[in-house]
Amino acid sequence: MSQQVKLSDETSNSGIQQTISPIDASVYVTRELAGDEQIVACVKRARQAFKGKGESWALTPLATRKTLCQAAIDILVSHKDEIAQELSWMMGRPVRYGAGELAGVAERSEYMIGVCEQALANIECEDKPGFTRYIKREALGVVLVIAPWNYPYLTAINAIIPALLAGNTVILKHSAQTPLCAERLFQAFEQAGLPPGVFQYLHMDHHHTARLIANEEVAYVAFTGSVFGGEMVEKAALGRFIGVGLELGGKDPAYVRQDADIDKAVEALVDGAFFNSGQSCCGIERIYVHHSVYDEFVTKAVALTKQYQLGRADDKAVTLGPLVRREAADFVRGQIAEALAQGAVAHIDESLFALSQAGTAYLAPQILTHVDHHMRVMTEESFGPVVGIMSVADDDQALDLMNDSDFGLTASIFTRDINKGIALGERVETGTFFLNRCDYLDPALAWTGVKLSGRGCTLSQLGFEQFTRPKSFHIKHA
């Protein structure tokens, strides 16, 4: 997620944070950043709420935690229309798609609430005369969640809900680009009746975020963002021996075999490349197509891409909004220009998209061919609306190219031969393998990555393990 968030990604001046809207470059939100005193007080409340005197969240029955979490999600989703507007102004997603993120929040939350009893249940050992033995999953304490702007609710909820269900208290530090998301989540949990201190948020700069990670009361850090940001989180936590979950994005590939349904592959992969203006950690950034169907695939992909409507994110007719910042658009423009200078061919005439102009956050979608792995656009995370397409001779060449990356978050293969596709998927170095689809998180499956895509796991029953520690009970009967 090189263009998502580093450690705090703030825009601040003398303790003030400003959110610049990509729609018109205006200041959309202004917030005061937390100082040392406010942060210390927040951590103290979180610790007391976890296992202090009086009501303890860690000792609250799981049934109660489930009820409160579900109520909060219901409250949040009830504001989907207003939230869609806020998202369009904060990070540039077309307003027509805003409610979709809230639907995903509901799906993931309800799944995790539904499986938490099984995921958090004691592990019973086999019978041994005279003994009772079991392993309990114990909450860690105060969990710090650092969330990015590109899917600000989905990425945050992946950690918040299982952390709370497991009995932890949570402090959320959201991207400076999407501060209202943290506030919306806090309001939802507060209205649901969550005890004070169990869920809080802080608007912080880079320095104070690092200091909070180093705070001895923080027991776990769940970070979603760039490789650089992940490195900073690890440095801040160095020597503390706490868990650190890192979801750091990818350069996700797809392979279209000669027996694929080309129309379905085009539809899925064009959407996977350009939805959210390409600002998805699991978006499709490079495509390899068998030479026998290469021309057909490229022709159809170009035709579909030309149908996008680039414009202001608050316009309901728009299907492609601006990138989050002008600098992000300039980064992608630089990759494209460099590739063209190295021999790549561009298939989309930028003049078809009137708002796509240098010096703005608006950028036309682009398909490049005659690309190779000597070009940054095929190896360096773009995080924007550009995709390179290469012709390959066979499965082996496709797999070699798919694995030729520093990242490994997701990968997709399109084929009618399911068994062959699965066999090929076994050879792909990735956290999630898709067959005949892409760019989707199923809450029943572990969300994880390999290589520079990070470490740790969210979602699925396995995701709860990140937010608990095993505690063994060895009881000898008298």
Side-chain angles (χ1 to χ4, degrees):
M1 297 186 176
S2 58
Q3 299 301 310
Q4 279 176 273
V5 59
K6 290 187 178 179
L7 187 56
S8 57
D9 202 17
E10 73 279 352
T11 302
S12 62
N13 181 23
S14 301
I16 300 298
Q17 171 182 284
Q18 292 185 331
T19 299
I20 307 300
S21 174
I23 289 179
D24 60 4
S26 65
V27 176
Y28 182 63
V29 182
T30 300
R31 290 292 184 269
E32 184 176 350
L33 293 169
D36 291 335
E37 185 176 338
Q38 183 180 353
I39 294 170
V40 169
C42 178
V43 173
K44 183 178 180 180
R45 287 191 298 270
R47 181 61 194 178
Q48 289 178 337
F50 171 62
K51 262 189 180 178
K53 294 180 179 179
E55 189 173 8
S56 167
W57 182 248
L59 300 179
T60 299
L62 179 56
T64 302
R65 298 200 296 261
K66 289 171 60 178
T67 298
L68 291 173
C69 284
Q70 184 63 65
I73 296 304
D74 291 342
I75 291 169
L76 182 72
V77 173
S78 72
H79 295 283
K80 62 183 179 182
D81 292 335
E82 307 101 286
I83 289 174
Q85 289 285 344
E86 291 169 358
L87 288 174
S88 70
W89 278 91
M90 286 189 294
M91 49 76 65
R93 183 183 302 139
V95 68
R96 65 191 293 165
Y97 300 129
E101 180 164 357
L102 274 296
V105 167
E107 178 192 27
R108 295 183 192 181
S109 299
E110 289 166 7
Y111 178 83
M112 289 183 280
I113 291 169
V115 301
C116 66
E117 290 190 25
Q118 182 177 352
L120 297 171
N122 292 345
I123 301 174
E124 304 290 343
C125 299
E126 68 277 5
D127 289 339
K128 183 177 182 181
F131 293 89
T132 297
R133 298 171 301 156
Y134 60 92
I135 303 169
K136 182 180 179 181
R137 301 187 188 279
E138 190 172 69
L140 300 174
V142 180
V143 170
L144 172 61
V145 177
I146 305 176
W149 52 263
N150 66 319
Y151 286 94
Y153 288 102
L154 285 172
T155 52
I157 218 70
N158 287 353
I160 291 170
I161 292 296
L164 291 175
L165 289 171
N168 302 284
T169 55
V170 172
I171 298 173
L172 173 63
K173 183 268 181 278
H174 225 301
S175 166
Q177 197 66 38
T178 47
L180 298 184
C181 298
E183 296 173 17
R184 284 279 189 183
L185 284 162
F186 175 78
Q187 291 164 5
F189 281 112
E190 185 178 47
Q191 291 175 26
L194 209 67
V198 174
F199 179 83
Q200 302 173 85
Y201 72 90
L202 290 167
H203 298 312
M204 294 182 291
D205 60 19
H206 179 110
H207 171 72
H208 285 92
T209 302
R211 290 190 63 179
L212 179 54
I213 294 170
N215 188 296
E216 63 182 7
E217 296 292 356
V218 172
Y220 186 85
V221 180
F223 173 81
T224 304
S226 68
V227 174
F228 174 81
E231 291 172 349
M232 294 300 100
V233 169
E234 284 199 319
K235 288 180 181 178
L238 186 65
R240 296 209 47 233
F241 308 113
I242 62 172
V244 175
L246 304 172
E247 201 273 86
L248 308 179
K251 187 72 178 175
D252 291 4
Y255 169 41
V256 181
R257 297 186 79 233
Q258 64 269 34
D259 65 343
D261 183 320
I262 300 302
D263 290 336
K264 290 182 179 178
V266 166
E267 181 181 5
L269 293 174
V270 168
D271 180 70
F274 299 130
F275 186 79
N276 211 38
S277 298
Q279 298 169 127
S280 303
C281 57
C282 58
I284 297 298
E285 296 207 358
R286 50 198 176 103
I287 302 173
Y288 308 99
V289 184
H290 191 272
H291 66 89
S292 64
V293 293
Y294 175 79
D295 289 340
E296 179 187 1
F297 181 89
V298 171
T299 298
K300 290 182 174 180
V302 169
L304 183 56
T305 301
K306 289 180 178 179
Q307 295 178 25
Y308 278 92
Q309 299 295 316
L310 176 66
R312 288 174 57 108
D314 58 344
D315 183 342
K316 292 183 178 180
V318 163
T319 56
L320 192 71
L323 272 70
V324 68
R325 287 185 295 274
R326 174 184 57 79
E327 293 83 1
D330 287 344
F331 176 85
V332 180
R333 287 189 181 99
Q335 279 191 336
I336 294 171
E338 183 178 291
L340 294 176
Q342 293 174 322
V345 174
H347 289 260
I348 305 297
D349 182 354
E350 193 172 0
S351 67
L352 296 174
F353 299 85
L355 285 183
S356 182
Q357 299 176 5
T360 75
Y362 291 87
L363 179 62
Q366 187 57 265
I367 290 176
L368 300 175
T369 59
H370 295 269
V371 290
D372 59 44
H373 281 214
H374 292 97
M375 300 175 182
R376 285 193 302 138
V377 76
M378 294 298 286
T379 59
E380 181 181 62
E381 190 174 21
S382 301
F383 221 64
V386 60
V387 64
I389 306 177
M390 288 181 63
S391 174
V392 295
D394 52 32
D395 293 341
D396 288 336
Q397 184 185 14
L399 289 176
D400 286 344
L401 290 168
M402 293 175 82
N403 290 333
D404 182 27
S405 175
D406 292 331
F407 295 96
L409 188 59
T410 79
S412 305
I413 291 178
F414 288 76
T415 178
R416 287 186 171 92
D417 188 336
I418 301 300
N419 291 332
K420 182 63 175 179
I422 293 172
L424 294 174
E426 296 283 357
R427 297 166 57 190
V428 181
E429 299 165 358
T430 186
T432 295
F433 170 69
F434 294 106
L435 193 62
N436 296 324
R437 78 175 311 177
C438 63
D439 191 26
Y440 176 77
L441 276 70
D442 186 323
L445 295 173
W447 188 243
T448 185
V450 299
K451 306 180 188 178
L452 292 185
S453 286
R455 70 162 186 262
C457 164
T458 56
L459 300 180
S460 80
Q461 290 191 40
L462 297 180
F464 286 88
E465 295 180 3
Q466 309 297 308
F467 303 103
T468 60
R469 64 170 63 90
K471 183 175 182 179
S472 294
F473 286 74
H474 192 159
I475 300 163
K476 181 178 181 181
H477 300 289

